[in-house]
Amino acid sequence: MALILHTRISIAQPLHFGTSMSESLLVTALGVGAVFSMLVAVLSFMAFYHRRTESYLLIVVAFSTFLGKTSAGVAYLTGWMDAGMHHSFEHLLDVIMMTLVLAAVYYAGSNEAPRIGAE
């Protein structure tokens, strides 16, 4: 006779759910995040405008996902998005950002100028 062990698997809650952070502190954190997200997006766009290469364009779009994550936080706080959807949306944006950055690095490497110091 086989012995069957039943184990209970629990799913860990993300740290930002169920914490004791007050709502006003969370709103402040989202506001600061929004400001810095916009700053990073504008600076990356300025770099793209200066260089005008496809890899810089990919970086602009990748860094713009920070704005999407901030928007998801605001949507969650205002009740437009439930916790599960918010969490899934943030992870989807993480995957998109990672893919765009890797594509930019690959593309820049494939069309790379000679290395510094090479003659």
Side-chain angles (χ1 to χ4, degrees):
M1 178 165 36
L3 178 64
I4 300 174
L5 297 175
H6 293 282
T7 59
R8 184 174 180 191
I9 299 173
S10 63
I11 299 173
Q13 287 286 329
L15 290 177
H16 56 278
F17 291 137
T19 61
S20 61
M21 183 186 292
S22 71
E23 189 171 322
S24 63
L25 184 58
L26 188 57
V27 169
T28 303
L30 274 173
V32 170
V35 169
F36 281 104
S37 296
M38 284 186 263
L39 180 64
V40 166
V42 167
L43 289 174
S44 63
F45 182 78
M46 289 170 55
F48 164 70
Y49 185 76
H50 178 70
R51 297 286 183 163
R52 295 180 193 252
T53 65
E54 288 84 359
S55 58
Y56 275 81
L57 178 61
L58 290 170
I59 293 296
V60 169
V61 178
F63 285 168
S64 295
T65 61
F66 288 125
L67 292 170
K69 291 178 83 167
T70 303
S71 300
V74 170
Y76 172 67
L77 275 182
T78 58
W80 287 40
M81 187 181 288
D82 67 356
M85 181 182 262
H86 163 77
H87 191 72
S88 297
F89 189 71
E90 279 192 334
H91 281 297
L92 175 66
L93 288 172
D94 289 338
V95 169
I96 290 169
M97 180 179 9
M98 177 186 60
T99 303
L100 289 167
V101 168
L102 289 174
V105 169
Y106 176 79
Y107 189 81
S110 65
N111 296 324
E112 189 174 295
R115 294 180 183 234
I116 296 175
E119 296 182 32

